[in-house]
Amino acid sequence: MKHKITDLQTRAIIVHESIANNQTHAEIGRMLNMDPSTIGKIVKRFRQRGTIENAPITGRPEIIRGRDGRTILREIAREPKQTKKELCQKVKNKVCVRTLTRFLEKKGYHTRKTVEKLTEEV
C-alpha cells in the first residue's frame, strides 16, 4: 500500500506550530486538513531524528527491476523451454543464474525438470 508523502514545507509548518506555538495535534490537523495521528507521527519523528527530511532508504537495490524484469517475463512467455543461462544472456545488465532463479521464484515461476515417460514395447 502506498502512503501519501507529506511535503517538507507542510512538515515544517507542523513542527513549528507544534513546538514553537504549542498547538495541539488536533488544532494543527484542522488547520491543515490532516489526521491528528499523522501530525503526531511527524512531530515524534522530528524529536527522534532532529530533522524533517525523509530517512535514507536501506538495503541493497534489486539487480533485476523494471525493464529487465519485463524482458525476462516476456521471453519466458514467448519461449518457455529456454534455459536460465539463455535468459541471463538476454538481460541488458548481465546477471548470474542464481539471481535469475530468485527473481523467477518471486514472480511465481518454479523450476521443473522434464521426465520422459517409459513406454512398454510389445
Side-chain angles (χ1 to χ4, degrees), residues 12-116:
I13 293 169
I14 290 168
V15 169
H16 180 266
E17 293 296 326
S18 177
I19 295 174
N21 295 345
N22 205 20
Q23 288 190 344
T24 64
H25 298 164
E27 291 170 342
I28 299 169
R30 279 192 295 274
M31 182 175 78
L32 297 174
N33 195 22
M34 294 176 74
D35 193 72
S37 65
T38 304
I39 308 294
K41 289 174 188 174
I42 291 171
V43 172
K44 179 181 176 184
R45 241 183 285 127
F46 175 77
R47 288 191 173 132
Q48 287 175 343
R49 290 195 228 138
T51 181
I52 58 173
E53 297 286 331
N54 288 333
I57 296 173
T58 60
R60 181 180 174 140
E62 292 181 346
I63 301 295
I64 301 174
R65 60 180 185 272
R67 182 173 288 175
D68 287 339
R70 290 190 302 273
T71 301
I72 291 169
L73 296 177
R74 195 177 319 111
E75 285 294 323
I76 290 174
R78 193 179 58 117
E79 191 181 335
K81 293 198 177 199
Q82 59 187 320
T83 65
K84 290 179 188 171
K85 273 188 179 180
E86 291 170 354
L87 278 172
C88 287
Q89 299 303 316
K90 292 181 181 180
V91 178
K92 182 180 177 186
N93 300 327
K94 300 296 181 211
V95 295
C96 70
V97 175
R98 183 68 187 132
T99 302
L100 181 68
T101 302
R102 287 187 188 123
F103 170 78
L104 292 175
E105 286 175 356
K106 193 162 78 170
K107 294 295 181 182
Y109 291 90
H110 302 286
T111 306
R112 289 171 177 75
K113 291 183 179 180
T114 58
V115 178
E116 291 185 27

